[in-house]
């Protein structure tokens, strides 16, 4: 992966000036590259990773991983049904996977009832959905490569040869 | 005073004094941003730590062969073959040591007769001179300076050779300068070594952190294998400093000699560390590359930042150190370091720790997060009144 993307993946707020210093490229070249990535849709958006467990006034919410088995359709395969499913705002992620089921759908809602309702009234009755298995998330340990527990402090001495 | 209970004169005269006090000052201070650390800021990759835990669970808690577990020596031999095309016999040409530190000491004690000389480019890592002294040899320091990027030349080595010169001690990429040598420069040095028929003790522990060209081991030049005592370890490339493990590869007679001293003083390297090291060699390729890329970025940042604030800094080829000149401030290395610590809470190491001629320099380590480096540079700038 391009170094610029690697740096941005880790820190979306870093400035082009700083990236230039780290990579040895000119500020203009960095700005141009980023603009190009944005235009091409390589960079989709800049978001903040928040540990919602620690946010005091956040509305409580539950998250469920749903395994969905579907009957693929002629001409459109899985695409058509996937689009129907991921267009619901409740669906935060949607993946086509190999294995014993087809779509892995992640759904968020205020509580178990909301999510259960969504599955019962929207997802399961859909034509060509053969079956669903729902797993409610109990605890998040790591997300997108980041361990959510506060990292242990470094144990190095402050000076050594 | 009871003279019978004095410690030996040789040990008493060992350096250093002022530096020790400065170290104590740093260690006693809290909330310091430290550029004074001689080890990676990465924790040992998890798969290596996990292997160490597994070894402990499985009860690998007894002695191993003095030379080190044969599995590990074979992995080291395989690594040298794969990485550099070097062939070493794991049975009698490789010894597993307590880091490169022990290996340096063993090498000196094994090859030196009383009074024999070892050429040591300056500035250098702190242990080279003292280990020569303790082994009864005589260190001969060859000075380098920032103008040449702290590089020793083949000519300097050739000129410094006198009868009784037994070895050249070389370290690249180097602590404290970050300096390394490309293939052509090393070939010239190897030629002098062959011409003068001496040993080279080559400390290449930072080899994986070479940025501008490929690292070339001293032992890879034609005819050099029997002259080179090749030292390396796991501390820097795999962030395993606390595991205390390294190795020496060299001519069978030298390794046999080193093994004799090692068996009487150390017995063997901790078994858990040896198990972890096997895992590091088998599966760590990507970790090493990731760390290297991150260090390269920090190097760019720190070299530019220092030069911009008027502290003359060369662009080092490897490791994670810079040794900028602070002569423009008119202060001594110690004064600069102490003031920076007391006023701005930034720790650096006075250059004089690495040789008297390094007065006017300080060593900064960029094995620290980018955020820390940024903050440290801002504080140094403010200390300089800029």
């Amino acid at each position: 992966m391009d170094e610029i993307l690697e740096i941005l993946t880790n820190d979306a707020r870093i400035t082009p000036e700083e990236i230039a210093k780290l990579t040895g490229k000119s500020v203009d070249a960095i700005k141009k590259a980023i603009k190009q990535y944005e235009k091409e849709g390589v960079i989709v958006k800049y978001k903040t990773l928040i540990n919602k467990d620690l946010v005091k006034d956040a509305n409580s919410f539950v998250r469920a991983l749903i395994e969905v088995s579907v009957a693929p359709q002629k001409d459109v395969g899985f695409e058509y049904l996937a689009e129907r499913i991921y267009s619901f705002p409740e669906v935060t992620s949607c993946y086509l996977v190999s294995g014993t089921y087809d779509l892995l759908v992640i759904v968020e809602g205020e509580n178990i009832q909301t999510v259960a309702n969504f599955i019962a009234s929207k997802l399961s009755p859909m034509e060509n959905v053969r079956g669903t298995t729902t797993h409610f998330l109990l605890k998040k340990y790591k997300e997108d490569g980041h361990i959510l527990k506060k990292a242990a402090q470094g144990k190095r001495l402050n000076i050594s040869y | 005073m009871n003279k019978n209970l004095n410690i030996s004169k040789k040990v008493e005269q060992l350096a250093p004094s002022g530096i020790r006090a400065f170290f104590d000052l740093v260690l006693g201070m809290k909330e310091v941003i430290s550029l004074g650390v001689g080890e990676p800021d990465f924790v040992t990759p998890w798969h290596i730590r996990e292997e160490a835990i597994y070894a402990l669970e499985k009860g690998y808690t007894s002695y191993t062969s003095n030379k080190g577990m044969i599995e590990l020596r074979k992995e080291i031999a395989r690594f040298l073959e794969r990485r550099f095309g070097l062939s070493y016999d794991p049975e009698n040409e490789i010894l597993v040591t307590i880091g490169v530190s022990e290996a340096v000491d063993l090498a000196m004690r094994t090859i030196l007769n009383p009074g024999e000389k070892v050429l040591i480019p300056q500035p250098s890592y702190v242990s080279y001179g003292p280990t020569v002294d303790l082994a009864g040899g005589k260190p001969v320091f060859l000075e380098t300076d920032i103008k040449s990027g702290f590089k020793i030349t083949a000519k300097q080595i050739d000129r410094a050779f006198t009868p009784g010169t037994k070895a050249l001690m070389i370290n690249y990429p180097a602590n404290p300068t970050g300096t390394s040598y490309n293939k052509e420069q090393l070939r010239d040095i190897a030629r002098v070594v062959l011409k003068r028929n001496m040993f080279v003790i080559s400390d290449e522990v930072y080899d994986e952190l070479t940025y501008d060209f490929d690292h070339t081991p001293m032992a890879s030049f034609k005819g050099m294998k029997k002259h080179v005592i090749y030292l390396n370890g796991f501390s820097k490339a795999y962030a395993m400093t606390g595991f205390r493990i390294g190795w020496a590869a060299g001519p069978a007679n030298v390794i046999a000699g080193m093994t004799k001293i090692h068996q009487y003083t150390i017995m063997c390297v901790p078994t858990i560390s040896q198990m972890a090291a096997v895992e590091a060699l088998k599966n760590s390729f990507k970790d090493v590359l990731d760390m290297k890329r991150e260090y390269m970025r920090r190097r760019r940042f720190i070299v530019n930042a220092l030069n911009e604030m008027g502290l003359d800094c060369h662009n080092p080829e490897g490791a994670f150190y810079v040794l900028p000149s602070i002569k423009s401030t008119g202060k001594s290395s110690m004064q600069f370091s102490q003031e920076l610590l007391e006023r701005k809470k930034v720790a650096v190491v006075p250059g004089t720790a690495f040789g008297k001629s390094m007065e006017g320099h300080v060593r900064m380590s960029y094995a620290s997060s980018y955020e820390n480096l940024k903050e440290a540079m801002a504080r140094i700038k403010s200390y300089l009144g800029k």
Side-chain angles (χ1 to χ4, degrees), chain B residues 76-94:
Chain B
I76 293 167
R78 254 179 234 134
F79 168 79
L80 289 172
E81 171 75 54
R82 184 174 71 225
R83 181 91 165 73
F84 300 117
L86 291 170
S87 129
Y88 278 95
D89 179 357
E91 291 293 345
N92 54 27
E93 292 180 325
I94 294 174

Side-chain angles (χ1 to χ4, degrees), chain A residues 1-59:
Chain A
M1 192 161 67
D2 176 14
E3 219 180 352
I4 300 174
L5 293 176
E6 199 183 313
I7 294 169
L8 280 170
T9 306
N10 213 27
D11 179 5
R13 295 200 306 170
I14 195 165
T15 62
E17 286 73 17
E18 282 180 274
I19 299 177
K21 273 185 191 163
L22 289 170
T23 57
K25 293 175 182 140
S26 76
V27 180
D28 281 345
I30 301 289
K31 282 184 179 163
K32 214 171 130 193
I34 291 177
K35 206 163 253 166
Q36 187 66 21
Y37 283 133
E38 288 169 348
K39 206 171 122 194
E40 288 166 357
V42 173
I43 294 177
V44 182
K45 71 187 274 182
Y46 301 89
K47 64 177 260 183
T48 308
L49 185 70
I50 288 173
N51 185 353
K52 288 188 186 162
D53 292 347
L54 297 179
V55 180
K56 289 192 185 70
D57 56 352
N59 294 326

Side-chain angles (χ1 to χ4, degrees), chain B residues 9-149:
Chain B
K9 285 202 182 76
K10 197 189 256 176
V11 172
E12 206 158 37
Q13 281 160 8
L14 278 183
S17 47
I19 301 289
R20 194 70 259 166
F22 177 70
F23 270 44
D24 289 342
L25 193 67
V26 175
L27 292 174
M29 205 178 263
K30 281 186 183 135
E31 319 261 306
V32 172
I33 293 195
S34 182
L35 305 183
V37 189
E39 60 179 318
D41 62 321
F42 300 97
V43 183
T44 312
W46 174 247
H47 66 98
I48 298 173
R49 283 187 281 157
E50 209 268 341
E51 186 63 25
I53 295 168
Y54 175 78
L56 201 53
E57 277 175 351
K58 287 284 159 191
Y60 285 94
T61 55
S62 39
Y63 295 134
T64 69
S65 144
N66 291 128
K67 288 183 196 163
M69 288 161 44
I70 185 66
E71 295 89 325
L72 175 56
R73 282 181 281 139
K74 278 184 181 162
E75 277 305 327
I76 293 167
R78 254 179 234 134
F79 168 79
L80 289 172
E81 171 75 54
R82 184 174 71 225
R83 181 91 165 73
F84 300 117
L86 291 170
S87 129
Y88 278 95
D89 179 357
E91 291 293 345
N92 54 27
E93 292 180 325
I94 294 174
L95 169 68
V96 179
T97 58
I98 305 282
V100 170
S101 297
E102 187 211 347
V104 170
D105 178 47
L106 292 180
M108 300 301 179
R109 287 201 273 168
T110 297
I111 62 170
L112 293 176
N113 292 300
E116 286 181 331
K117 285 168 271 187
V118 178
L119 307 178
I120 307 175
Q122 284 285 84
S124 69
Y125 182 63
V126 292
S127 81
Y128 303 152
T131 47
V132 173
D133 275 329
L134 285 170
K138 195 169 166 290
V140 177
F141 295 112
L142 311 181
E143 299 297 340
T144 66
D145 61 23
I146 195 167
K147 272 181 265 147
S148 60

Side-chain angles (χ1 to χ4, degrees), chain B residues 309-311 325-332 335-336 360 383-384:
Chain B
M309 61 179 100
L311 299 182
S325 164
I326 52 143
K327 286 176 183 154
S328 60
T329 66
K331 296 181 191 203
S332 75
Q335 190 188 3
F336 180 95
Y383 162 71
L384 294 174

Side-chain angles (χ1 to χ4, degrees), chain A residues 3 6, chain B residues 288-297:
Chain A
E3 219 180 352
E6 199 183 313
Chain B
V288 174
L289 289 181
D290 285 350
M291 284 191 217
K292 179 169 153 176
R293 273 213 305 279
E294 182 64 36
Y295 283 133
M296 272 176 85
R297 279 180 216 136

